[in-house]
Amino acid sequence: MEALAPQHIARLNPFSPTVAIFSPPLPTLTTQRAAAAMAKKLGKKARKFAHKHLQGGAKRSRKLRSQFNRRTRKDGKGREDGGRLDGDGDEEMRRSDPTMNTHDDEATLANSLEFPEDENEFDGDLSDSDGYLSEDPECPYYSDSEDGDVVKDCIVQDGLDGQNNDMNLAVKKQKKKLKKLLDKDPEFANFLGKWESELVSHESDEDSDEQDEMDSGDDGVDAGDKNPPSDKILTSKTISEWCQLVSKDPKAPALRNLLNAFRDACRFGLHSNSLSTQRLQSTEVFYQIITFILSEADNIFRSLLDIPDDDKGKLMNLRNGQKWQDVEPLIKSYLRNCLDLLSQLTDNQILTNILTRLRASAVYFSAYPSTSRRLLKILVHFWASGDQSLSLSSFLMIREVVSLLPDCLDLCLTKGYNTYLSSSKLVDNRNIKNIDLFMNCLVELYSLDVQKSGERAATSVGQLSAILRQVSKSKEKEDLLKIDNWQYINCINLWVRFICVNYKDCHNVHSLLSSTAQIIRGVAYLLPGMRYLPLRLKLAQMLNELSNCNQMFFPVPSLIFGCLEFREIFQKEQTEKTNIHFSSLLKVPRNLLKSRDFQEQCILSAIEVLSAHFDQWSYHVSFPEVATIPLILLKSLHERTTIDSLHRPLKRLIDQVSENRDFVQRKREVVSFSPNDMSSVESFLEDEKMSGNASFTQYYISVSKNRQSRGRKSV
């Protein structure tokens, strides 16, 4: 130990008078470095100790030791057979050990909820309809110009014409300025004339090369425009004349001209240099063609095939007949162009109108399975667009196609389920209604074939259970995020709805109910606390739905009171006003836990869920036992709450539950059957239940109305 300086000794001596006068010495740079090194050394030792002795490290060490029979010796020999583990062996050991590939497991579990999709495209059905249809040369064409000549280089009038005119004016002004400059300075004009010839020759060479590339690119992009039947401009007068001819006689040659014009309109704007764009005179002509074809195509084809409007099965029987072979090129062209039109449009209102008109042509799509699959993929994309009108129109079209072509149901179930998962990853006040609509439509689609859908539901529920088991074993923060997300919760809610809709009609879903209920209770157990009250209310509502469909009791109050007993609910209220929507929350932010609005929302939402639970069992013979413990907890909550506005709703719920308990108790005392008589137990208070005049039933109706009037969605 180094000798201390005299001044240090004086400071360390408790009897020295200088102790109270002088403060301890300030740390020098050397002492700071020594302290940092000591802290770093202690940090390494602590991490090494935790890695070696804590539960995770000990578990990993045991698993690693179990894979070796003997330690590796200094001579390089490892096992009893003299073999030695090399780099490949280590890699194989890491792959076989589940504790060594945690990142791969996380990626697998993150994607395990989705069903595998078949990405193969089927375009063979409409390969004959890529180009134009042959037209009648005698079909009339009309021009809107005074001299009657058709301008071949007509440009479609659209919103860009104003910008083009402004640019042309700017160029003209610049040319005038340059001309004035040349007149003022003749030497500069001679200089420009000397280099003008070389510049023009150089630009001509570049333009020729670019033109060759553009021509080759256009040939590869739109091969169907190479040999159009006519390069004449389609005017409004021409289209009106064709529409009149086809309306009078569907067999008129003008039908092929209209379908070719419809092809050009469907590719309008796709390639600016293509002939299909140059043939349309204006956007008015575009809308005129689209409106007529989509409105009258179905009736025209039925007239050509002699099929009544309400006979969809006869079309499938005519596929091998001569009439179908004559009309098939027209139908193929129409269907292919409809797909091109749907792929290009972006306006939701226009798409909704087109799908509404196109629904009548679903029977023609069913004649071509590959084309129907391509259509369904487009429709599923529109289904998840977020626009309710477009979503409903897309779903109705999907259901129509699937009813005519059951082989496409697997594709719809897979694409619809995966799209639902991807669109429900983030939930807020803007898209929660759209997600709920998507879920209800998906449940209806899965209910078309419960046998096939039940297998998919069982697979998905098994995946949810596997994720929950893994999280329950580790209980780490990163693993909890696998169940603390909207995708996982919305997936559970989807199968809860599916079970409730099909429980009474199909016995295949009975086995799913218990598994789903265990998952719900497992998630509630792993995510406790006041912050997860919105999530637990959603889980409680799911249990209410499952209990309502099969009359099985689930301890719903335990999920709610486990959170309401936390002290945060009784902290001093704040004066700030905060808008909290439990329907779009899984976990409440910490800064809102002590707010008055959050506390009120907690109690009122809990009252709504508990009222639904009590209303379900309000006429059951076991209601006194069901309500005993919740009444005790409700009275305790009523006594401890410090918010005056919550005393009245809590007191009203307590009074209604107590009154209904006494009512059932009085009715139960006068019956003569035993609890083992199930038929008598089920018929207990059946007349009162059918009338719906009981006090608690009326109370629950008022609670539901108050919830709707407040504008809050039930969780």
Side-chain angles (χ1 to χ4, degrees), residues 385-658:
S385 62
D387 185 88
Q388 291 194 1
S389 300
L390 181 58
S391 299
L392 282 175
S393 299
S394 303
F395 172 71
L396 294 176
M397 185 72 179
I398 291 172
R399 191 177 61 179
E400 185 72 17
V401 175
V402 169
S403 63
L404 296 170
L405 198 63
D407 294 339
C408 294
L409 181 61
D410 286 334
L411 174 65
C412 293
L413 297 181
T414 302
K415 294 287 293 184
Y417 175 75
N418 292 344
T419 306
Y420 169 75
L421 290 182
S422 61
S423 61
S424 61
K425 290 181 179 180
L426 297 176
V427 177
D428 52 28
N429 297 327
R430 295 171 294 178
N431 66 348
I432 185 170
K433 293 183 179 179
N434 299 327
I435 293 176
D436 192 65
L437 175 64
F438 199 135
M439 179 174 57
N440 292 331
C441 294
L442 189 60
V443 169
E444 183 176 349
L445 189 65
Y446 267 77
S447 301
L448 295 177
D449 190 347
V450 183
Q451 180 68 29
K452 185 179 297 185
S453 302
E455 298 175 358
R456 293 176 175 270
T459 302
S460 180
V461 171
Q463 294 169 349
L464 295 173
S465 300
I467 295 175
L468 184 63
R469 284 195 299 269
Q470 184 189 18
V471 175
S472 62
K473 290 180 181 179
S474 62
K475 295 182 181 180
E476 296 181 358
K477 185 176 181 180
E478 295 181 356
D479 291 335
L480 288 175
L481 294 177
K482 298 176 183 178
I483 62 174
D484 182 17
N485 61 80
W486 277 110
Q487 193 175 28
Y488 191 88
I489 301 302
N490 285 329
C491 187
I492 298 175
N493 198 16
L494 171 67
W495 300 124
V496 168
R497 296 276 182 92
F498 175 74
I499 293 172
C500 294
V501 171
N502 301 282
Y503 186 83
K504 296 181 179 179
D505 299 331
C506 183
H507 295 281
N508 296 330
V509 299
H510 289 188
S511 58
L512 298 176
L513 190 142
S514 59
S515 302
T516 307
Q518 291 177 1
I519 293 174
I520 293 173
R521 299 191 64 184
V523 173
Y525 172 76
L526 292 175
L527 299 176
M530 194 67 184
R531 296 187 64 189
Y532 287 102
L533 180 61
L535 171 60
R536 295 172 74 92
L537 290 173
K538 291 177 177 63
L539 298 176
Q541 182 62 33
M542 295 180 195
L543 289 180
N544 279 338
E545 295 178 5
L546 292 177
S547 178
N548 193 25
C549 74
N550 71 334
Q551 300 301 316
M552 182 182 296
F553 177 79
F554 294 106
V556 173
S558 62
L559 271 67
I560 301 175
F561 287 108
C563 288
L564 293 180
E565 290 181 354
F566 280 77
R567 290 186 177 181
E568 287 87 346
I569 193 65
F570 305 113
Q571 295 292 334
K572 186 177 180 180
E573 61 186 62
Q574 297 181 356
T575 58
E576 287 187 13
K577 290 291 182 180
T578 55
N579 295 325
I580 303 174
H581 301 277
F582 276 14
S583 57
S584 59
L585 287 178
L586 291 180
K587 183 169 62 174
V588 181
R590 293 184 183 275
N591 60 335
L592 298 180
L593 289 178
K594 298 180 180 180
S595 65
R596 175 188 177 90
D597 293 335
F598 170 71
Q599 297 174 17
E600 291 182 352
Q601 184 77 352
C602 287
I603 301 300
L604 295 177
S605 300
I607 288 175
E608 293 170 3
V609 177
L610 290 174
S611 300
H613 172 70
F614 290 135
D615 179 71
Q616 180 183 346
W617 300 99
S618 59
Y619 296 98
H620 199 268
V621 68
S622 61
F623 184 81
E625 288 75 17
V626 171
T628 300
I629 297 179
L631 273 177
I632 298 175
L633 297 176
L634 282 173
K635 292 178 180 178
S636 175
L637 181 64
H638 178 263
E639 293 175 356
R640 292 185 295 170
T641 185
T642 58
I643 302 177
D644 297 336
S645 60
L646 295 178
H647 284 286
R648 182 176 179 181
L650 284 172
K651 186 64 169 61
R652 188 183 179 192
L653 176 61
I654 294 172
D655 294 341
Q656 291 293 330
V657 174
S658 301

Side-chain angles (χ1 to χ4, degrees), residues 262 265-267 286 290 294 334-348 350-359 365 371-372 374-382 390 393-394 397 401:
F262 180 66
C266 291
R267 300 192 177 193
F286 167 80
I290 294 295
L294 292 177
Y334 168 69
L335 298 181
R336 182 59 176 265
N337 295 328
C338 287
L339 293 180
D340 293 339
L341 180 63
L342 291 176
S343 302
Q344 295 185 56
L345 291 176
T346 56
D347 187 85
N348 292 338
I350 297 177
L351 285 171
T352 302
N353 296 331
I354 290 177
L355 290 178
T356 302
R357 296 178 182 272
L358 199 60
R359 197 185 313 161
F365 280 101
T371 307
S372 299
R374 186 180 169 197
L375 172 66
L376 289 173
K377 290 182 179 180
I378 298 174
L379 292 176
V380 170
H381 175 70
F382 294 155
L390 181 58
S393 299
S394 303
M397 185 72 179
V401 175

